[in-house]
Amino acid sequence: MCRTIPILLVLAVVCLADSAMMFEFPDGRTVAMISNNEISMAAESVYIEPSGGIFSEYSDENGWLPHMEVRCIFELVNSSDEEQFVTVGFPFDAKFGHAYTAMDEEMLAEELSRSFDGENRPEWENHSIVGGMDAMEDVPEELDFRTFIDGEEVEVVFRKCALSLEEGLIWRPVVAVWKMKFAPRETIMLENTYNTSWDYIRNGPWSFNTINYILTSGGTWSGPIGDAVVTLTLPDEMPDPTLNDTLLCYWHWTGQPVVDGRTIRWHYRDFEPDENISFSVEEGMQLGFWENSINPERMYNTVVWTEDELLSSAVDFLSEGNFWGIQSNTRLTLRILEALPWLIQGAEPPNGIMIGNFFIPEVSGEVVIAGEMQRRLDLVYTLQNEMERNRDSASDAGYLEFLPIFVSNYQWDLDDLGMFGSMPERERRYLDLLLEMEKAVAGEYIDNPAVRSFYELTGWYSEGRETGLSALSEASVGEYRESH
């Protein structure tokens, strides 16, 4: 996914890249057939569920990354009339919460390519899974990888395998290997279980929690996979999509799952696995992030106190007024503006907004809201009433559930068009909004009143004001809609 990010955010990420904190865990994978034969995969069921534990090796005593238990059940069929002896492997990167400073998989791949460049040696990538030396010392105890054939546990050995960017095998890649025997036309139920957690990246006020399942390794079996279901249950520690004073959070995924509450389910039939799936909980801290400081007196004297320009000038102030910037939706912006008359007088505002990140003078005496200050406060109340009307309009049209992702996501691409493909009614509303995104980022007038109301809630859209953000084009959204 890639889209233009406002330059302030780009500079923030680049300047402080070395301070980024990353934890990665073993990705789930479909089993791979290493020896060639007549075995097909009739069905695959994967359950990724919270196990109750918390990964805390690099954190305080409370931790924050929930442990997940993965259970993979495969129905394997010998379609031949002959006995088959099969070597099966489950490839993964043997990492369990290793911390990085600024190097994710893509950057690591670039470094590997540079290190081999110009030397008389083969490419570092090898796209086939191969057996190698014993790798037991590379397998973390917490992984607890186990294999069962028709309910009976079997011995597994661990071997080093080739680096492969295509398979995501870069960090100490290992393959768990075991033998299987099939009678003619026999069907066997294979089960793998192991533990993992959520990949975690944090940079300043932004954090990304991601869990992956890699389907493409299942392409080694004979024919297509008949039926595959991957079910993810979100742990209680992961927030729902949220917009409030302290947190922006949205969920993002690949593929076309059905999202029902906190259960996410991908379902495929008769398919050749050519894509992998992931689910991310992406968060941005707002007033609760200690570096998101605001000088209320400067803001009060900088913003333009007119109905047409107050919101846009306040958004500009918040995004440019500190190093990290604040992705302030309309509701939060108005709450901050409403609090200013009290904050500049050293008092706690009555709207209950968190005041820890404001520079507040120590002022004694009674708080007075009168004259020009009252006029400005009345203007804020007028805009708040307008915002509530916009919320009602967007809510009636069923758009409000999408507000967190449209406020927060700066990384749209064409794959995002199909996010709600398995949920037709939600997809219709989602595409309504995407169809007008190009106009919204350009500051153009939006004809559909409910869609216009929705975009006016984002904080970054106002008519006549170009944002500099990128967008999915109206043409690409229209083409997708016509073809589906």
Side-chain angles (χ1 to χ4, degrees):
M1 298 185 307
C2 184
R3 120 175 161 174
T4 303
I5 301 174
I7 189 65
L8 174 68
L9 302 184
V10 173
L11 290 174
V13 171
V14 172
C15 290
L16 290 190
D18 288 342
S19 70
M21 182 183 295
M22 304 183 188
F23 302 115
E24 294 187 273
F25 291 83
D27 290 333
R29 282 175 172 79
T30 297
V31 290
M33 180 173 57
I34 296 175
S35 54
N36 295 321
N37 47 61
E38 302 287 339
I39 308 299
S40 62
M41 183 182 292
E44 171 180 10
S45 297
V46 179
Y47 305 91
I48 308 172
E49 300 176 332
S51 62
I54 297 290
F55 178 76
S56 57
E57 182 176 349
Y58 295 95
S59 68
D60 59 28
E61 61 182 7
N62 296 319
W64 77 93
L65 293 176
H67 279 165
M68 305 294 287
E69 180 181 56
V70 184
R71 182 170 174 243
C72 310
I73 303 170
F74 308 100
E75 182 181 347
L76 304 178
V77 179
N78 178 8
S79 58
S80 75
D81 294 322
E82 299 179 358
E83 192 173 60
Q84 299 288 336
F85 295 89
V86 183
T87 302
V88 180
F90 192 98
F92 57 89
D93 273 0
K95 54 182 182 285
F96 203 95
H98 284 269
Y100 297 83
T101 53
M103 189 173 292
D104 57 18
E105 277 191 353
E106 183 177 350
M107 295 172 67
L108 179 58
E110 291 176 0
E111 287 298 318
L112 285 167
S113 295
R114 275 196 290 266
S115 69
F116 278 62
D117 187 40
E119 301 180 26
N120 189 21
R121 56 198 298 187
E123 295 287 336
W124 69 269
E125 287 187 67
N126 186 328
H127 292 285
S128 64
I129 299 169
V130 297
M133 297 182 293
D134 180 83
M136 190 64 205
E137 74 280 2
D138 287 338
V139 179
E141 182 178 350
E142 299 96 325
L143 185 70
D144 192 26
F145 183 89
R146 304 171 70 187
T147 294
F148 303 84
I149 296 177
D150 285 337
E152 296 291 327
E153 187 167 7
V154 299
E155 181 182 3
V156 173
V157 296
F158 297 93
R159 297 284 183 260
K160 298 183 188 296
C161 66
L163 294 169
S164 172
L165 180 60
E166 183 180 59
E167 291 296 334
L169 296 169
I170 301 177
W171 175 259
R172 286 163 43 203
V174 166
V175 60
V177 180
W178 60 94
K179 303 289 186 179
M180 296 184 69
K181 176 183 175 181
F182 289 79
R185 301 292 173 180
E186 184 180 17
T187 295
I188 290 179
M189 302 303 292
L190 169 67
E191 179 177 348
N192 295 125
T193 63
Y194 66 95
N195 298 320
T196 187
S197 187
W198 293 69
D199 291 350
Y200 175 82
I201 300 176
R202 172 138 186 208
N203 201 335
W206 299 288
S207 64
F208 306 87
N209 299 274
T210 303
I211 203 157
N212 304 295
Y213 191 77
I214 295 174
L215 292 164
T216 51
S217 52
T220 57
W221 299 93
S222 175
I225 297 176
D227 191 87
V229 178
V230 180
T231 303
L232 168 66
T233 302
L234 261 63
D236 293 339
E237 294 83 356
M238 296 293 178
D240 290 318
T242 304
L243 284 175
N244 60 36
D245 293 351
T246 59
L247 178 66
L248 297 182
C249 176
Y250 68 96
W251 296 350
H252 189 273
W253 55 82
T254 62
Q256 297 184 355
V258 171
V259 179
D260 183 8
R262 298 175 71 82
T263 299
I264 298 89
R265 183 174 290 107
W266 293 262
H267 192 186
Y268 301 87
R269 292 185 178 89
D270 295 322
F271 79 111
E272 298 283 354
D274 59 1
E275 63 178 24
N276 301 313
I277 55 179
S278 70
F279 186 94
S280 295
V281 178
E282 309 195 7
E283 303 174 45
M285 295 180 68
Q286 296 291 79
L287 300 184
F289 184 63
W290 66 278
E291 287 192 7
N292 275 348
S293 56
I294 301 170
N295 186 315
E297 184 173 5
R298 184 179 301 146
M299 183 174 182
Y300 183 84
N301 292 321
T302 300
V303 299
V304 181
W305 291 91
T306 65
E307 187 169 350
D308 290 338
E309 298 184 70
L310 179 56
L311 269 174
S312 59
S313 63
V315 168
D316 289 341
F317 181 91
L318 293 170
S319 63
E320 298 169 2
N322 60 68
F323 186 79
W324 291 105
I326 295 178
Q327 291 175 258
S328 183
N329 64 90
T330 300
R331 176 185 176 276
L332 176 57
T333 302
L334 289 171
R335 281 176 56 74
I336 293 172
L337 289 168
E338 181 188 11
L340 292 181
W342 283 270
L343 293 170
I344 63 177
Q345 297 183 75
E348 187 169 341
N351 66 0
I353 198 167
M354 176 183 285
I355 63 174
N357 292 77
F358 292 92
F359 295 118
I360 304 174
E362 293 184 10
V363 177
S364 59
E366 184 180 351
V367 173
V368 177
I369 308 292
E372 179 64 14
M373 187 173 287
Q374 183 62 58
R375 186 194 71 80
R376 293 182 175 187
L377 190 58
D378 289 341
L379 176 57
V380 174
Y381 293 150
T382 297
L383 293 177
Q384 285 178 331
N385 290 334
E386 183 179 325
M387 178 198 68
E388 291 302 327
R389 289 192 293 272
N390 284 337
R391 286 187 66 85
D392 290 342
S393 175
S395 178
D396 290 344
Y399 297 148
L400 276 188
E401 67 168 303
F402 304 109
L403 190 57
I405 190 171
F406 278 81
V407 169
S408 310
N409 187 21
Y410 287 141
Q411 298 182 343
W412 297 87
D413 70 14
L414 292 176
D415 289 339
D416 293 330
L417 286 168
M419 281 182 64
F420 294 89
S422 294
M423 298 170 277
E425 279 304 307
R426 295 174 77 180
E427 182 178 52
R428 178 188 60 77
R429 299 191 298 270
Y430 176 67
L431 294 177
D432 284 348
L433 299 173
L434 288 182
L435 198 62
E436 305 292 346
M437 178 185 279
E438 189 173 27
K439 288 181 179 178
V441 300
E444 297 178 9
Y445 181 76
I446 297 172
D447 293 320
N448 185 312
V451 174
R452 185 172 66 252
S453 294
F454 171 87
Y455 276 108
E456 288 179 351
L457 295 171
T458 63
W460 52 260
Y461 168 71
S462 60
E463 186 184 354
R465 181 171 181 264
E466 187 173 354
T467 65
L469 302 176
S470 64
L472 293 171
S473 70
E474 183 177 348
S476 65
V477 180
E479 289 173 6
Y480 174 87
R481 193 169 225 168
E482 286 294 322
S483 63
H484 291 76

